[in-house]
Amino acid sequence: MPSKKQTYVKQIHIDTDTGLFLADYATISMSASIFSLKGLLENQKQSELKTALQNKFAINRRQASSIITFIEGEIKSAKESHTRHIKTLEGKIKSLKSSVDAREKKVKKHIEYLQAVTKYNSTKKQGKKAKIPSKYKPQFDEASSRAFGRYSGTYYQSAKKKLHHQKRKLYKMTCQLKYLKTKQLHVNLGNKETIHFVGSKDESNGNQVCQLILGLEKNSLDILKIRVPYALESRYGEYVEVPINLNGYGDKEIRAGWAEGRAITYRITQRKYGVWEAHITVDVYRSITSDSVMLGCIGVDLNIDSVAWCKVNADGNPKRFGEIKFNLHSLSHNQTSCVLASVVTELTTLALAFKCPIVIEELDFDAKKAQLNSGTKHKRYNRMISSFAYNRFYELLSSRCFKLGIKLITVNPAYSSLIGMTKFMSNYGMNSGTAAALVLARRAMNYSEGVPARTAYFDQESKKHVWSHWNRISKRVKGSARHSFFQPRPTASPSLRNGTTSNSALEFGNSVATLTNHPGGLNVPNEQTFASSNFERLECHLETDEGNRTTNRDCA
């Protein structure tokens, strides 16, 4: 079974003595963490560092190992963040530099043109015949430009101002990159009032320094038994027991991990004065109910304002498809998460109804987001890319799929939109999003993506990968309108759309679930499902020009 680390927050019940103990322990823990951080950054050996921690702060060896393990994780995270920051900044500098070079070249050509015009006007007054050479052409319109309804000079003057500001920004970014490459690594250790107890599966109860003692009686509080450092034993004794309430979210997972001897990590922190919380991290195992794609899957294509989905059967043919609309414009982070969470809930409801995994494209917008402030793209495009919350959508979908036991598959999205528009959009009456979702689902099932006969090249080499041929087609159709891919051919029955049939029934395998109207516009299956051995399988029909109805094998 797949596992995933989950963290659950539980409140600690403390009195005055317990609060003083946690505050004193947090002071020692933070000082030891800073000392360990300096030693690890100086490449000090762990054995020497553990001995130094034991002697300097009067703690045992297991407590020192826990602190060092925590600091190693923080250093690793800081290095990854630092590397990603440098990579992103380099991409922005590269994009901005190309924009500055192009605009500078354009301004230079326009200046040469203006000089040629000035020379022509001066010779014309002297009575000489002179012409402006053909190589000098205007690069900007002579009309005035307006920004936000205000006069901002001619387009040439506006271009010079933009070039000036872009050069300033490029210089600042270059200095920032130079500073990042030379400065020392910065590691944030978080709240000062924090104690870390890193667990291990080799230790008793998953953690030797801080152990969980479960309450045997009903409604009784559980206890965290904390080993006191040597420096505080004279005041608090060898162990301190802290009451904790595990009831609520994550109760079963924590108890299961404790019973099976898994590693349990505790992070006790003071949220505000006198209020302490315990963040408990444990490995959670979930059984996957829809593991194989042999019985079909659901392809998902995420767009800027909608999520298109397509249910594919075992033969790689579409059975149902639909689209979930949403709007993320001008929303805050929490509002965006709320909207995407509702979309994820609808997708996982479909996956549970069809009993199949979900396939999603693996996208990386770092390169595109690096071009946002370069001036090479339109403002509308920049707004679209900046509001595209793919990472947040993937996090929410991954978390919910793991919770419900749904397998989530990621595939390469190369040419998925082109293949969908060329091969499937016209055949089944889809839009570009649902057609791309169909391609993603078929790709997860390792089905062929051959070029259609009507668009195939006669001189293509069979040894090349099929994507090389789609690359040639992509160059040919670049700039074409999407509706131009529709051909005058028979279209699929509308019963395929939105996952509904004429009698409002949703088919999945040999079971049928009745549908109810959802406030968001999507039909969601009820909890009551029933198996019907005599239920006739729905068939997609193609309507020909003569009005005859024939069965489509791909949709049967």
Side-chain angles (χ1 to χ4, degrees), residues 72 100 123 127 180 194 197 207 212 222 237 283 306 317 326 341 362 400 424 434 445 462:
E72 285 179 341
V100 168
T123 55
L180 285 176
T194 304
F197 304 104
N207 198 314
L212 177 63
D222 304 302
D283 290 329
S306 64
N317 300 319
F326 58 85
E362 185 178 1
R400 184 158 180 82
F424 305 113
T434 52
M445 301 173 70
S462 58

PDB file of all heavy atoms in Angstrom, residues 72 100 123 127 180 194 197 207 212 222 237 283 306 317 326 341 362 400 424 434 445 462:
ATOM      1  N   GLU A  72      19.345  18.989   9.658  1.00  0.00           N
ATOM      2  CA  GLU A  72      19.707  18.490   8.328  1.00  0.00           C
ATOM      3  C   GLU A  72      18.550  18.644   7.347  1.00  0.00           C
ATOM      4  O   GLU A  72      18.752  19.016   6.172  1.00  0.00           O
ATOM      5  CB  GLU A  72      20.121  17.016   8.425  1.00  0.00           C
ATOM      6  CG  GLU A  72      21.499  16.798   9.035  1.00  0.00           C
ATOM      7  CD  GLU A  72      21.847  15.331   9.140  1.00  0.00           C
ATOM      8  OE1 GLU A  72      20.923  14.489   9.080  1.00  0.00           O
ATOM      9  OE2 GLU A  72      23.044  15.017   9.308  1.00  0.00           O
ATOM     10  N   VAL A 100      14.936  43.282 -24.092  1.00  0.00           N
ATOM     11  CA  VAL A 100      15.682  44.542 -24.180  1.00  0.00           C
ATOM     12  C   VAL A 100      16.462  44.622 -25.486  1.00  0.00           C
ATOM     13  O   VAL A 100      16.478  45.669 -26.153  1.00  0.00           O
ATOM     14  CB  VAL A 100      16.625  44.675 -22.963  1.00  0.00           C
ATOM     15  CG1 VAL A 100      17.623  45.808 -23.176  1.00  0.00           C
ATOM     16  CG2 VAL A 100      15.819  44.909 -21.704  1.00  0.00           C
ATOM     17  N   THR A 123      18.317  68.398 -47.706  1.00  0.00           N
ATOM     18  CA  THR A 123      18.736  68.447 -49.113  1.00  0.00           C
ATOM     19  C   THR A 123      17.612  68.941 -50.011  1.00  0.00           C
ATOM     20  O   THR A 123      17.853  69.546 -51.048  1.00  0.00           O
ATOM     21  CB  THR A 123      19.176  67.056 -49.575  1.00  0.00           C
ATOM     22  OG1 THR A 123      18.119  66.122 -49.326  1.00  0.00           O
ATOM     23  CG2 THR A 123      20.416  66.613 -48.837  1.00  0.00           C
ATOM     24  N   GLY A 127      17.497  72.363 -52.920  1.00  0.00           N
ATOM     25  CA  GLY A 127      17.203  72.151 -54.326  1.00  0.00           C
ATOM     26  C   GLY A 127      17.808  70.904 -54.902  1.00  0.00           C
ATOM     27  O   GLY A 127      17.699  70.659 -56.115  1.00  0.00           O
ATOM     28  N   LEU A 180      22.917  36.602  -4.693  1.00  0.00           N
ATOM     29  CA  LEU A 180      22.420  35.296  -4.275  1.00  0.00           C
ATOM     30  C   LEU A 180      23.478  34.205  -4.435  1.00  0.00           C
ATOM     31  O   LEU A 180      23.548  33.270  -3.635  1.00  0.00           O
ATOM     32  CB  LEU A 180      21.177  34.920  -5.079  1.00  0.00           C
ATOM     33  CG  LEU A 180      19.872  35.635  -4.715  1.00  0.00           C
ATOM     34  CD1 LEU A 180      18.769  35.235  -5.666  1.00  0.00           C
ATOM     35  CD2 LEU A 180      19.474  35.338  -3.277  1.00  0.00           C
ATOM     36  N   THR A 194       9.727  26.455  20.121  1.00  0.00           N
ATOM     37  CA  THR A 194       9.408  25.195  19.448  1.00  0.00           C
ATOM     38  C   THR A 194      10.393  24.117  19.892  1.00  0.00           C
ATOM     39  O   THR A 194      11.598  24.372  20.023  1.00  0.00           O
ATOM     40  CB  THR A 194       9.472  25.349  17.915  1.00  0.00           C
ATOM     41  OG1 THR A 194       8.590  26.405  17.521  1.00  0.00           O
ATOM     42  CG2 THR A 194       9.047  24.066  17.223  1.00  0.00           C
ATOM     43  N   PHE A 197      10.988  16.674  18.277  1.00  0.00           N
ATOM     44  CA  PHE A 197      11.320  15.297  18.658  1.00  0.00           C
ATOM     45  C   PHE A 197      11.158  14.423  17.411  1.00  0.00           C
ATOM     46  O   PHE A 197      10.033  14.036  17.057  1.00  0.00           O
ATOM     47  CB  PHE A 197      10.404  14.785  19.781  1.00  0.00           C
ATOM     48  CG  PHE A 197      10.394  15.648  21.018  1.00  0.00           C
ATOM     49  CD1 PHE A 197       9.327  16.479  21.295  1.00  0.00           C
ATOM     50  CD2 PHE A 197      11.461  15.633  21.897  1.00  0.00           C
ATOM     51  CE1 PHE A 197       9.307  17.262  22.433  1.00  0.00           C
ATOM     52  CE2 PHE A 197      11.460  16.420  23.039  1.00  0.00           C
ATOM     53  CZ  PHE A 197      10.381  17.244  23.302  1.00  0.00           C
ATOM     54  N   ASN A 207       9.210   6.732  19.063  1.00  0.00           N
ATOM     55  CA  ASN A 207      10.013   7.880  19.479  1.00  0.00           C
ATOM     56  C   ASN A 207      10.488   7.635  20.904  1.00  0.00           C
ATOM     57  O   ASN A 207       9.680   7.369  21.795  1.00  0.00           O
ATOM     58  CB  ASN A 207       9.205   9.175  19.408  1.00  0.00           C
ATOM     59  CG  ASN A 207      10.079  10.413  19.412  1.00  0.00           C
ATOM     60  OD1 ASN A 207      10.995  10.530  20.204  1.00  0.00           O
ATOM     61  ND2 ASN A 207       9.778  11.338  18.510  1.00  0.00           N
ATOM     62  N   LEU A 212       4.109   8.489  23.297  1.00  0.00           N
ATOM     63  CA  LEU A 212       2.669   8.644  23.451  1.00  0.00           C
ATOM     64  C   LEU A 212       2.120   7.483  24.271  1.00  0.00           C
ATOM     65  O   LEU A 212       2.366   6.315  23.971  1.00  0.00           O
ATOM     66  CB  LEU A 212       1.995   8.680  22.074  1.00  0.00           C
ATOM     67  CG  LEU A 212       0.472   8.768  22.055  1.00  0.00           C
ATOM     68  CD1 LEU A 212      -0.005  10.071  22.689  1.00  0.00           C
ATOM     69  CD2 LEU A 212      -0.045   8.640  20.625  1.00  0.00           C
ATOM     70  N   ASP A 222      -5.087  11.346  26.571  1.00  0.00           N
ATOM     71  CA  ASP A 222      -3.829  10.660  26.326  1.00  0.00           C
ATOM     72  C   ASP A 222      -2.679  11.495  26.907  1.00  0.00           C
ATOM     73  O   ASP A 222      -2.859  12.662  27.267  1.00  0.00           O
ATOM     74  CB  ASP A 222      -3.639  10.432  24.832  1.00  0.00           C
ATOM     75  CG  ASP A 222      -4.807   9.682  24.223  1.00  0.00           C
ATOM     76  OD1 ASP A 222      -5.087   8.574  24.686  1.00  0.00           O
ATOM     77  OD2 ASP A 222      -5.438  10.223  23.296  1.00  0.00           O
ATOM     78  N   GLY A 237      12.500  16.738  37.317  1.00  0.00           N
ATOM     79  CA  GLY A 237      12.588  15.303  37.399  1.00  0.00           C
ATOM     80  C   GLY A 237      13.043  14.681  36.092  1.00  0.00           C
ATOM     81  O   GLY A 237      13.455  15.375  35.151  1.00  0.00           O
ATOM     82  N   ASP A 283       3.400   8.234   9.334  1.00  0.00           N
ATOM     83  CA  ASP A 283       3.188   7.636   8.011  1.00  0.00           C
ATOM     84  C   ASP A 283       1.801   7.007   7.968  1.00  0.00           C
ATOM     85  O   ASP A 283       1.455   6.184   8.816  1.00  0.00           O
ATOM     86  CB  ASP A 283       4.248   6.569   7.726  1.00  0.00           C
ATOM     87  CG  ASP A 283       5.625   7.164   7.516  1.00  0.00           C
ATOM     88  OD1 ASP A 283       5.682   8.312   7.021  1.00  0.00           O
ATOM     89  OD2 ASP A 283       6.625   6.522   7.854  1.00  0.00           O
ATOM     90  N   SER A 306     -11.615  26.335 -16.697  1.00  0.00           N
ATOM     91  CA  SER A 306     -12.425  25.121 -16.666  1.00  0.00           C
ATOM     92  C   SER A 306     -11.529  23.899 -16.517  1.00  0.00           C
ATOM     93  O   SER A 306     -10.315  23.962 -16.753  1.00  0.00           O
ATOM     94  CB  SER A 306     -13.266  24.998 -17.943  1.00  0.00           C
ATOM     95  OG  SER A 306     -12.429  24.845 -19.075  1.00  0.00           O
ATOM     96  N   ASN A 317     -11.773   3.988 -25.902  1.00  0.00           N
ATOM     97  CA  ASN A 317     -12.816   4.794 -26.533  1.00  0.00           C
ATOM     98  C   ASN A 317     -13.568   5.593 -25.477  1.00  0.00           C
ATOM     99  O   ASN A 317     -13.761   5.121 -24.353  1.00  0.00           O
ATOM    100  CB  ASN A 317     -13.801   3.897 -27.282  1.00  0.00           C
ATOM    101  CG  ASN A 317     -13.116   3.102 -28.375  1.00  0.00           C
ATOM    102  OD1 ASN A 317     -12.258   3.625 -29.074  1.00  0.00           O
ATOM    103  ND2 ASN A 317     -13.481   1.843 -28.509  1.00  0.00           N
ATOM    104  N   PHE A 326     -15.136  27.263 -13.782  1.00  0.00           N
ATOM    105  CA  PHE A 326     -14.827  28.022 -12.573  1.00  0.00           C
ATOM    106  C   PHE A 326     -14.158  29.321 -12.978  1.00  0.00           C
ATOM    107  O   PHE A 326     -13.755  29.500 -14.138  1.00  0.00           O
ATOM    108  CB  PHE A 326     -13.915  27.232 -11.620  1.00  0.00           C
ATOM    109  CG  PHE A 326     -12.608  26.808 -12.229  1.00  0.00           C
ATOM    110  CD1 PHE A 326     -11.522  27.656 -12.240  1.00  0.00           C
ATOM    111  CD2 PHE A 326     -12.470  25.554 -12.802  1.00  0.00           C
ATOM    112  CE1 PHE A 326     -10.322  27.272 -12.799  1.00  0.00           C
ATOM    113  CE2 PHE A 326     -11.278  25.154 -13.368  1.00  0.00           C
ATOM    114  CZ  PHE A 326     -10.201  26.016 -13.368  1.00  0.00           C
ATOM    115  N   ALA A 341     -10.962  23.275  -4.554  1.00  0.00           N
ATOM    116  CA  ALA A 341     -11.361  22.137  -3.735  1.00  0.00           C
ATOM    117  C   ALA A 341     -12.725  21.594  -4.158  1.00  0.00           C
ATOM    118  O   ALA A 341     -12.939  20.375  -4.189  1.00  0.00           O
ATOM    119  CB  ALA A 341     -11.394  22.535  -2.258  1.00  0.00           C
ATOM    120  N   GLU A 362       1.261  16.583 -16.552  1.00  0.00           N
ATOM    121  CA  GLU A 362       2.354  17.087 -15.722  1.00  0.00           C
ATOM    122  C   GLU A 362       2.918  18.343 -16.368  1.00  0.00           C
ATOM    123  O   GLU A 362       3.601  18.274 -17.396  1.00  0.00           O
ATOM    124  CB  GLU A 362       3.446  16.022 -15.581  1.00  0.00           C
ATOM    125  CG  GLU A 362       4.552  16.399 -14.639  1.00  0.00           C
ATOM    126  CD  GLU A 362       5.588  15.305 -14.481  1.00  0.00           C
ATOM    127  OE1 GLU A 362       5.440  14.256 -15.144  1.00  0.00           O
ATOM    128  OE2 GLU A 362       6.524  15.481 -13.700  1.00  0.00           O
ATOM    129  N   ARG A 400      -6.625  14.447  -1.958  1.00  0.00           N
ATOM    130  CA  ARG A 400      -7.956  13.831  -1.875  1.00  0.00           C
ATOM    131  C   ARG A 400      -7.953  12.435  -2.499  1.00  0.00           C
ATOM    132  O   ARG A 400      -8.640  11.532  -2.001  1.00  0.00           O
ATOM    133  CB  ARG A 400      -8.992  14.725  -2.548  1.00  0.00           C
ATOM    134  CG  ARG A 400     -10.412  14.189  -2.398  1.00  0.00           C
ATOM    135  CD  ARG A 400     -11.448  15.255  -2.561  1.00  0.00           C
ATOM    136  NE  ARG A 400     -12.795  14.727  -2.409  1.00  0.00           N
ATOM    137  CZ  ARG A 400     -13.387  14.527  -1.238  1.00  0.00           C
ATOM    138  NH1 ARG A 400     -12.756  14.829  -0.126  1.00  0.00           N
ATOM    139  NH2 ARG A 400     -14.619  14.048  -1.187  1.00  0.00           N
ATOM    140  N   PHE A 424      -9.966  13.545 -32.583  1.00  0.00           N
ATOM    141  CA  PHE A 424     -11.157  13.176 -31.817  1.00  0.00           C
ATOM    142  C   PHE A 424     -12.206  14.269 -31.704  1.00  0.00           C
ATOM    143  O   PHE A 424     -13.369  13.962 -31.477  1.00  0.00           O
ATOM    144  CB  PHE A 424     -10.737  12.752 -30.405  1.00  0.00           C
ATOM    145  CG  PHE A 424      -9.712  11.661 -30.372  1.00  0.00           C
ATOM    146  CD1 PHE A 424      -8.432  11.896 -29.896  1.00  0.00           C
ATOM    147  CD2 PHE A 424     -10.013  10.393 -30.832  1.00  0.00           C
ATOM    148  CE1 PHE A 424      -7.477  10.894 -29.866  1.00  0.00           C
ATOM    149  CE2 PHE A 424      -9.066   9.381 -30.810  1.00  0.00           C
ATOM    150  CZ  PHE A 424      -7.800   9.631 -30.334  1.00  0.00           C
ATOM    151  N   THR A 434     -11.980  18.649 -23.723  1.00  0.00           N
ATOM    152  CA  THR A 434     -12.365  17.252 -23.535  1.00  0.00           C
ATOM    153  C   THR A 434     -11.608  16.335 -24.489  1.00  0.00           C
ATOM    154  O   THR A 434     -11.303  15.189 -24.142  1.00  0.00           O
ATOM    155  CB  THR A 434     -13.880  17.100 -23.736  1.00  0.00           C
ATOM    156  OG1 THR A 434     -14.255  17.679 -24.999  1.00  0.00           O
ATOM    157  CG2 THR A 434     -14.644  17.789 -22.618  1.00  0.00           C
ATOM    158  N   MET A 445      -2.904   4.700 -20.899  1.00  0.00           N
ATOM    159  CA  MET A 445      -3.187   3.300 -21.203  1.00  0.00           C
ATOM    160  C   MET A 445      -2.294   2.754 -22.320  1.00  0.00           C
ATOM    161  O   MET A 445      -2.508   1.646 -22.800  1.00  0.00           O
ATOM    162  CB  MET A 445      -4.655   3.147 -21.590  1.00  0.00           C
ATOM    163  CG  MET A 445      -5.618   3.613 -20.499  1.00  0.00           C
ATOM    164  SD  MET A 445      -7.342   3.625 -21.009  1.00  0.00           S
ATOM    165  CE  MET A 445      -7.654   1.863 -21.114  1.00  0.00           C
ATOM    166  N   SER A 462       9.604   6.012 -40.894  1.00  0.00           N
ATOM    167  CA  SER A 462       8.921   5.184 -39.911  1.00  0.00           C
ATOM    168  C   SER A 462       9.747   4.985 -38.646  1.00  0.00           C
ATOM    169  O   SER A 462       9.205   4.650 -37.607  1.00  0.00           O
ATOM    170  CB  SER A 462       8.601   3.814 -40.521  1.00  0.00           C
ATOM    171  OG  SER A 462       9.804   3.189 -40.957  1.00  0.00           O
TER     172      SER A 462
END
